Amino acid sequence: MSFCDLNVPFKDVRTTSDTIDYLSQLGYGVVAITQTLRPKEANAENVLDQPVYSKQFTSSGWMKPNTNNHTMEIYKRLNIVIEKVEELKDLERSFQKKFQQYHLISITTADRMVMEAISILPWVDIINFQGNVKSRIRTEVLRKGYDKGIHYEINYNDIFKMDGSFMANTTELIRSSKGKNVIISSGCDKTRLMRSPYDIENMVSLLGMSTEHARSAHTKHAKSVILKGLTRLTHLGIIDSFPHSKLQELEKWKMINDLATNPTKNNIPEEKEKEMEKEKENQEQDVDKMKE
Amino acid sequence: MDIIKDDGALCKSKIIVKEITAKKKNTNTKKTTSTTTTTTTTNEQQEDTQLETIIHHINQHPFNQSVHVVVPVQPDASSSASSTTTSKATLLSSMSKSKSKLEDTIATHFLQRATSSSSSSSSSSSTNDLLVQIQVSLHQLINYQFVTNCIVKGEFIGLSQLSGLDSGNVVAFLANGTVVLNVNKETYEVLGLTGKHSAFNKGQRFIITINLMEKKYSTEDGYKRLNWCFNQRIGDINLLCRMSTNAFERLKSLPHKVLANDIDFSFDSIHLPLDIKDVTQIIDKQEQQELVMALNEVIGTCICGVVTPFNVDFVLAGQKKKSKDNGSSESQFDSYSFISSPEIDNNNNNNNNNNSVSHSSQTFISFKKGMILPSEIVPLAKECRQLVATGSAPWAAVHVSGFADSPISWGLNEHAYGLSGENDYTLVFQKNNKCCLHFILNSSDTFS
């Protein structure tokens, strides 16, 4: 599984492409670029429609399935900042058109009531809690999120804040979740604050997480978040349709060919074939009898 | 076999020590008139078995990133006897003999850089002279003609580059026609070939081994299936290969880059002890562990080129050092390790103190970096063994380091990258035909 960084804020096309190249040098293979909005900014433009390219080869880009593209996988993420519970009322209706334009949807809050209310919603992928934890996080609240496939995020960039909230939040989250459904991302746009995935694993293991969970936090769990986000773009998670032009280089075998549908070029079903063979045999026997 | 562990805080690795003894062969020796010939034949047979085991272990480790040779230069016996009245001239003359022998024997292996790159056209097709980095899709390498003409004859061996063993997909081509793939879950599900779970990342990584000489792949259907999977399902790969000119001519049309192994040797002013205690004779396990770790640390510093301006005393001969006060036993220094507590002692050069260890004033250090075949390491091991046996060197070490991202380590044992990806080994040759093999492994390796 390739290493993922699912929170890279978008500034310009040039600066984000430079940060993505830097992340590929550090060892990452998957990146999600984020656009942050408030509840009142539902009609804002989708800034992430501009093409962001990565030039560097990644350590997970070779021998990839279905593509010869050795560069990073780039996804789009919408981040909504919510401060009060009242803002959740018309949020889904106002942002419904926007949801189809992004791969991932996340909510950042500083309020615990908001976090408990969000963990029930099906269209949320990631929750990022940035308030000061004054009391313990209940595991019941987290379990509601597990049922919906929601993951809880840690931004390791917050360690540079002077609040001291990073240590308290992360230790409490790790204690209550036991490493389950936790993802780690950078959350910073400056390259000097970014670190390689191995350094982050070491740092998080010091905060109480086991090495296995630390490794899965930016590999397995991050991949499951992406898959959950992609299923939201399908019809009930069952059927997905797209034009031929969107197929990747090595996926063209999926197009309907004559060989796939008629490998033997025989449209007659087996039962009828057997009846026809019997009739032929009977006819031949009759002909032989007539000759005799 | 003794297992020696070094559990650091985050990095877990193991060192396995194996003593390679010369076993007696049960053969019917012919009757001879003289008794001396029989003893020589039995001794030769014992040495042959030792060589065979050494060669066997070397050949089982196909992918080697670099090989280093460390040999302390020994002064002659006449100069060591007269310790107080040693003059510079006698020392230099004694050093020159052993130095010249090293230059005539081992150093010749490290002078081929100029010849190998220029003789690419004139070299024979049987030797794998060329080091090439190519970008290729796998179906082009399982072509019937390429397999029968190059891979089966041992003219092609390759390992994927620029892809991590824990984050990406890795492939290795062996000389006997096997292809080993270590892939993640996504590619395994899309690729369509059967494999088995990894022993260390169950459910996340899978291993596929394909023997191209099997009957399954000689038939049309089998070959078509394999070709289709490699061509239509997965992308291309960046391979680092050792190949002959015959194989290179078939792959010239692909994007490639011809490289060369980095080769050099030198006589550095590192003062190593001339006597090393035998590891296998130590009964105490902790003492054994400390000695092995210290020995590997010493070889590592020599390889890294750490040369101090002072004479650092490497206590590897098994002597417990006393404090300068010559006080009670409480002030004795019992440790073997030198990195944690190095002692700077400028007086040891004169060898006045009876408890001091005799040192060499120079050491021979050589290296070869790139992609080194086992057939290039075997003659180095033979030369070092002969040097120690004839007495022209007190001891010798050959350190070989493997690729961290190779899917196999020894034989077909699975190698994974957890917190580190070590799969190295060192051959230590000592007096009285003693040879010790140190396997340096990480925790995620099935060889241990």
Side-chain angles (χ1 to χ4, degrees):
Chain A
M1 304 292 260
S2 53
F3 296 111
C4 307
D5 187 358
L6 297 182
N7 193 357
V8 177
F10 179 79
K11 263 190 173 179
D12 302 323
V13 172
R14 197 176 173 183
T15 50
T16 48
S17 59
D18 290 340
T19 51
I20 286 165
D21 287 338
Y22 184 72
L23 284 171
S24 63
Q25 287 177 17
L26 290 175
Y28 290 93
V30 178
V31 159
I33 306 168
T34 59
Q35 183 184 5
T36 56
L37 296 173
R38 299 263 167 185
K40 294 180 182 177
E41 296 170 357
N43 295 323
E45 280 184 22
N46 185 0
V47 178
L48 303 181
D49 275 340
Q50 303 173 33
V52 177
Y53 294 112
S54 65
K55 299 169 190 173
Q56 298 273 349
F57 294 159
T58 59
S59 64
S60 59
W62 297 91
M63 214 163 77
K64 250 187 186 175
N66 301 324
T67 52
N68 277 325
N69 188 10
H70 308 300
T71 53
M72 301 264 263
E73 288 179 28
I74 299 170
Y75 294 99
K76 298 173 192 172
R77 174 176 159 176
L78 175 64
N79 192 21
I80 304 169
V81 180
I82 292 171
E83 292 173 0
K84 296 176 185 176
V85 180
E86 298 160 356
E87 293 171 354
L88 286 170
K89 281 180 185 176
D90 293 328
L91 193 70
E92 190 178 352
R93 206 199 311 169
S94 56
F95 276 91
Q96 200 164 11
K97 289 182 183 178
K98 282 260 181 199
F99 288 165
Q100 295 295 320
Q101 298 171 8
Y102 297 89
H103 297 114
L104 300 171
I105 292 169
S106 67
I107 291 175
T108 58
T109 58
D111 192 359
R112 293 194 84 164
M113 301 295 288
V114 173
M115 196 173 103
E116 290 183 11
I118 285 164
S119 57
I120 302 166
L121 299 173
W123 47 268
V124 176
D125 300 325
I126 300 166
I127 292 174
N128 191 347
F129 185 71
Q130 288 190 345
N132 281 321
V133 171
K134 292 179 183 175
S135 61
R136 299 205 173 232
I137 297 172
R138 291 184 294 160
T139 53
E140 296 166 358
V141 173
L142 297 177
R143 273 179 205 157
K144 289 177 188 175
Y146 298 160
D147 294 337
K148 300 289 180 185
I150 291 170
H151 289 71
Y152 298 90
E153 190 184 33
I154 296 168
N155 285 333
Y156 66 81
N157 183 39
D158 295 342
I159 200 170
F160 298 107
K161 285 184 182 175
M162 304 304 287
D163 292 344
S165 60
F166 173 76
M167 301 292 280
N169 285 349
T170 49
T171 48
E172 184 55 34
L173 183 67
I174 289 163
R175 187 203 65 81
S176 54
S177 67
K178 295 176 186 176
K180 190 178 176 182
N181 278 32
V182 173
I183 60 170
I184 299 168
S185 56
S186 61
C188 58
D189 52 355
K190 294 174 186 173
T191 55
R192 62 185 170 85
L193 299 174
M194 288 176 175
R195 297 292 179 268
S196 75
Y198 302 105
D199 293 337
I200 291 161
E201 281 178 26
N202 291 336
M203 187 188 78
V204 171
S205 64
L206 293 171
L207 295 172
M209 205 185 257
S210 64
T211 51
E212 291 177 6
H213 287 299
R215 174 60 62 94
S216 60
H218 50 200
T219 53
K220 197 169 81 172
H221 294 164
K223 196 73 184 174
S224 63
V225 169
I226 289 164
L227 288 171
K228 197 223 171 201
L230 291 173
T231 52
R232 197 186 337 100
L233 301 173
T234 61
H235 180 68
L236 298 176
I238 298 166
I239 297 169
D240 187 17
S241 63
F242 45 88
H244 290 306
S245 57
K246 284 200 174 180
L247 280 173
Q248 290 174 343
E249 298 167 12
L250 299 173
E251 277 185 320
K252 290 185 180 173
W253 56 270
K254 291 179 183 176
M255 289 165 66
I256 294 170
N257 289 326
D258 286 338
L259 285 173
T261 51
N262 284 327
T264 55
K265 296 187 179 177
N266 184 11
N267 292 324
I268 303 166
E270 281 186 15
E271 292 175 354
K272 280 195 178 178
E273 252 192 320
K274 286 179 184 176
E275 288 175 4
M276 286 169 73
E277 282 178 4
K278 279 184 183 177
E279 285 177 5
K280 274 187 182 178
E281 285 176 2
N282 291 331
Q283 284 176 5
E284 283 173 3
Q285 285 175 3
D286 291 336
V287 167
D288 291 336
K289 282 181 183 177
M290 289 288 284
K291 283 182 179 179
E292 285 175 4
Chain B
M1 260 208 280
D2 296 325
I3 297 172
I4 296 165
K5 291 185 183 178
D6 175 31
D7 288 333
L10 295 165
C11 179
K12 292 187 179 178
S13 60
K14 298 179 195 175
I15 298 179
I16 301 171
V17 178
K18 186 175 183 182
E19 187 191 7
I20 299 171
T21 53
K23 294 180 185 174
K24 289 184 184 178
K25 264 190 176 177
N26 293 325
T27 55
N28 294 322
T29 54
K30 291 182 182 176
K31 284 187 182 177
T32 53
T33 54
S34 61
T35 56
T36 53
T37 53
T38 54
T39 54
T40 52
T41 51
T42 53
N43 282 333
E44 284 171 3
Q45 285 167 10
Q46 287 176 18
E47 288 171 4
D48 288 339
T49 55
Q50 196 184 49
L51 258 180
E52 281 175 12
T53 50
I54 290 167
I55 291 165
H56 172 69
H57 283 293
I58 290 170
N59 284 330
Q60 276 197 323
H61 195 259
F63 298 112
N64 305 305
Q65 199 178 15
S66 64
V67 61
H68 297 263
V69 176
V70 177
V71 182
V73 180
Q74 189 180 22
D76 280 343
S78 58
S79 64
S80 64
S82 60
S83 60
T84 53
T85 58
T86 48
S87 62
K88 281 187 182 178
T90 52
L91 272 173
L92 284 169
S93 63
S94 64
M95 300 295 284
S96 62
K97 284 183 187 175
S98 51
K99 205 175 171 180
S100 61
K101 197 154 190 182
L102 284 167
E103 282 175 350
D104 292 336
T105 52
I106 293 177
T108 53
H109 292 279
F110 297 93
L111 285 170
Q112 293 172 3
R113 175 167 48 177
T115 55
S116 64
S117 58
S118 61
S119 66
S120 60
S121 58
S122 61
S123 64
S124 63
S125 63
S126 60
T127 57
N128 296 348
D129 285 334
L130 294 172
L131 177 66
V132 185
Q133 193 171 9
I134 54 172
Q135 190 171 333
V136 66
S137 61
L138 292 174
H139 75 282
Q140 290 169 322
L141 293 174
I142 58 164
N143 193 4
Y144 180 74
Q145 289 177 358
F146 190 75
V147 170
T148 50
N149 292 327
C150 299
I151 290 177
V152 171
K153 292 182 183 176
E155 293 178 8
F156 182 85
I157 183 171
L159 181 67
S160 61
Q161 295 290 297
L162 307 177
S163 57
L165 190 59
D166 54 348
S167 59
N169 303 314
V170 171
V171 65
F173 282 82
L174 301 177
N176 56 1
T178 56
V179 182
V180 180
L181 292 140
N182 191 324
V183 296
N184 56 21
K185 192 179 173 187
E186 192 183 350
T187 50
Y188 182 71
E189 287 169 354
V190 173
L191 186 60
L193 295 171
T194 53
K196 57 180 180 179
H197 285 272
S198 165
F200 304 103
N201 286 321
K202 239 179 184 177
Q204 297 299 319
R205 297 205 71 86
F206 296 84
I207 293 162
I208 303 165
T209 53
I210 299 164
N211 189 357
L212 294 169
M213 302 312 297
E214 272 182 354
K215 284 184 182 179
K216 203 199 300 186
Y217 300 112
S218 61
T219 58
E220 271 193 37
D221 294 335
Y223 176 74
K224 269 186 182 177
R225 170 72 183 172
L226 190 65
N227 194 22
W228 182 75
C229 288
F230 283 154
N231 189 13
Q232 299 288 334
R233 297 293 192 121
I234 51 173
D236 53 358
I237 193 87
N238 193 312
L239 268 175
L240 185 69
C241 318
R242 281 296 295 266
M243 61 172 83
S244 61
T245 51
N246 184 20
F248 181 64
E249 282 169 11
R250 293 168 192 273
L251 300 172
K252 256 185 185 177
S253 58
L254 299 165
H256 66 274
K257 195 179 179 183
V258 180
L259 306 168
N261 283 329
D262 192 12
I263 301 169
D264 200 3
F265 73 92
S266 62
F267 288 92
D268 293 341
S269 59
I270 297 172
H271 306 280
L272 294 176
L274 296 172
D275 290 326
I276 295 179
K277 197 173 180 182
D278 193 6
V279 173
T280 53
Q281 286 179 2
I282 298 169
I283 298 164
D284 188 13
K285 275 194 176 179
Q286 198 179 357
E287 202 175 321
Q288 201 181 37
Q289 284 178 23
E290 285 177 3
L291 187 64
V292 168
M293 293 305 299
L295 179 62
N296 279 289
E297 283 171 359
V298 166
I299 292 166
T301 52
C302 295
I303 286 164
C304 294
V306 175
V307 179
T308 60
F310 305 101
N311 302 325
V312 183
D313 189 4
F314 298 112
V315 187
L316 293 175
Q319 293 184 357
K320 293 180 182 179
K321 292 203 72 178
K322 287 184 183 175
S323 63
K324 288 183 182 177
D325 297 334
N326 291 326
S328 59
S329 61
E330 293 173 3
S331 62
Q332 278 185 353
F333 173 71
D334 293 335
S335 174
Y336 289 106
S337 63
F338 82 101
I339 280 176
S340 59
S341 56
E343 287 202 7
I344 298 163
D345 194 351
N346 286 318
N347 295 325
N348 262 341
N349 259 340
N350 297 329
N351 294 330
N352 285 327
N353 196 355
N354 287 329
N355 289 327
S356 69
V357 178
S358 56
H359 296 82
S360 64
S361 62
Q362 282 186 330
T363 57
F364 172 80
I365 297 169
S366 59
F367 65 84
K368 218 186 232 186
K369 292 178 186 175
M371 191 171 193
I372 291 115
L373 300 171
S375 58
E376 295 176 353
I377 298 168
V378 167
L380 290 174
K382 283 183 184 174
E383 294 280 1
C384 290
R385 186 166 169 271
Q386 202 173 0
L387 279 173
V388 175
T390 53
S392 51
W395 56 272
V398 179
H399 178 78
V400 181
S401 58
F403 286 95
D405 287 317
S406 70
I408 52 167
S409 56
W410 275 272
L412 286 173
N413 283 303
E414 186 195 339
H415 173 74
Y417 192 100
L419 294 164
S420 61
E422 303 135 344
N423 56 345
D424 313 336
Y425 64 93
T426 56
L427 283 160
V428 181
F429 298 100
Q430 290 173 282
K431 292 176 184 175
N432 301 324
N433 276 335
K434 282 189 181 170
C435 173
C436 231
L437 181 57
H438 300 226
F439 296 99
I440 301 161
L441 303 164
N442 63 343
S443 58
S444 49
D445 198 316
T446 55
F447 179 68
S448 60

